[in-house]
C-alpha cells in the first residue's frame, strides 16, 4: 500500500484512476487470436478503480513533471501533482520496473513479452 507523505506518494494515491485489465478465459490463448474465438473463448475486460497498490516500482521523470509506475503487470504515467493515470502498456506480458532515460524520451523496463524476462526500451511518447 502506498503510504508516503511525499508529493509522489500523494500523486499516486490521488491518481491511480480507473484503468482496465484484460483477461482471457484461458492463459494459453493469445490476445485477438482467431482460433481462440472459433474455440469459443472470450476476451473479458474488467474495469478496476483503485487508489493504492502494492509491490510497485516507480521512477520520476528527469524534468520532475510525471511518474512512471507498474501496476498489475502494466506500465502507467501520471502527472507528479496527481490526476488520472495513462496506460503505456497493456496485455498479457508482465511489464515492470520502469525507468526513464536521462533525457526522459524513453522508458526502459523488464518484461516477459518474448518468453523470458528481458530489458525493453520504448519511446515515452509513442509507446513503441
Amino acid at each position: 500500500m502506498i503510504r508516503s507523505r511525499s508529493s509522489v506518494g500523494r500523486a499516486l494515491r490521488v491518481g491511480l484512476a480507473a484503468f482496465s485489465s484484460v483477461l482471457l478465459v484461458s492463459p494459453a490463448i493469445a490476445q485477438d487470436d482467431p482460433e481462440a474465438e472459433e474455440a469459443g473463448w472470450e476476451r473479458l475486460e474488467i474495469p478496476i478503480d483503485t487508489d493504492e497498490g502494492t509491490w510497485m516500482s516507480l521512477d520520476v521523470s528527469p524534468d520532475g513533471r510525471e511518474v512512471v509506475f507498474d501496476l498489475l503487470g502494466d506500465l502507467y504515467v501520471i502527472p507528479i501533482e496527481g490526476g488520472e493515470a495513462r496506460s503505456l502498456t497493456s496485455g498479457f506480458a508482465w511489464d515492470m520496473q520502469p525507468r526513464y532515460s536521462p533525457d526522459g524520451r524513453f522508458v526502459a523496463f523488464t518484461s516477459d513479452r518474448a518468453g523470458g524476462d528481458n530489458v525493453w526500451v520504448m519511446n515515452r511518447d509513442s509507446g513503441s
Side-chain angles (χ1 to χ4, degrees), residues 50 53 61 79:
T50 185
S61 64

Side-chain angles (χ1 to χ4, degrees), residues 19-54:
F19 60 93
S20 293
S21 258
V22 175
L23 170 71
L24 257 180
V25 185
S26 170
I29 297 178
Q31 196 171 358
D32 299 321
D33 184 351
E35 291 179 21
E37 289 179 22
E38 275 183 34
W41 295 104
E42 295 180 30
R43 176 181 166 166
L44 305 173
E45 291 200 23
I46 302 169
I48 298 172
D49 186 8
T50 185
D51 63 359
E52 59 186 80
T54 60

Side-chain angles (χ1 to χ4, degrees), residues 7-8 59-68 77-81 99-107 124-125:
S7 61
V8 171
D59 193 24
V60 177
S61 64
D63 63 8
R65 293 183 182 179
E66 67 183 16
V67 175
V68 63
V77 292
I78 187 170
I80 194 85
E81 62 274 351
R99 296 293 178 262
Y100 282 101
S101 64
D103 63 5
R105 292 180 37 216
F106 300 96
V107 174
R124 171 27 210 112
D125 294 325

Side-chain angles (χ1 to χ4, degrees), residues 63-125:
D63 63 8
R65 293 183 182 179
E66 67 183 16
V67 175
V68 63
F69 63 94
D70 60 22
L71 182 66
L72 298 173
D74 294 324
L75 303 181
Y76 299 87
V77 292
I78 187 170
I80 194 85
E81 62 274 351
E84 188 162 310
R86 183 174 59 84
S87 174
L88 289 179
T89 66
S90 64
F92 288 110
W94 196 264
D95 303 329
M96 59 188 171
Q97 301 171 337
R99 296 293 178 262
Y100 282 101
S101 64
D103 63 5
R105 292 180 37 216
F106 300 96
V107 174
F109 59 99
T110 304
S111 179
D112 64 356
R113 58 182 57 190
D117 286 334
N118 294 297
V119 175
W120 294 76
V121 177
M122 65 190 260
N123 185 305
R124 171 27 210 112
D125 294 325

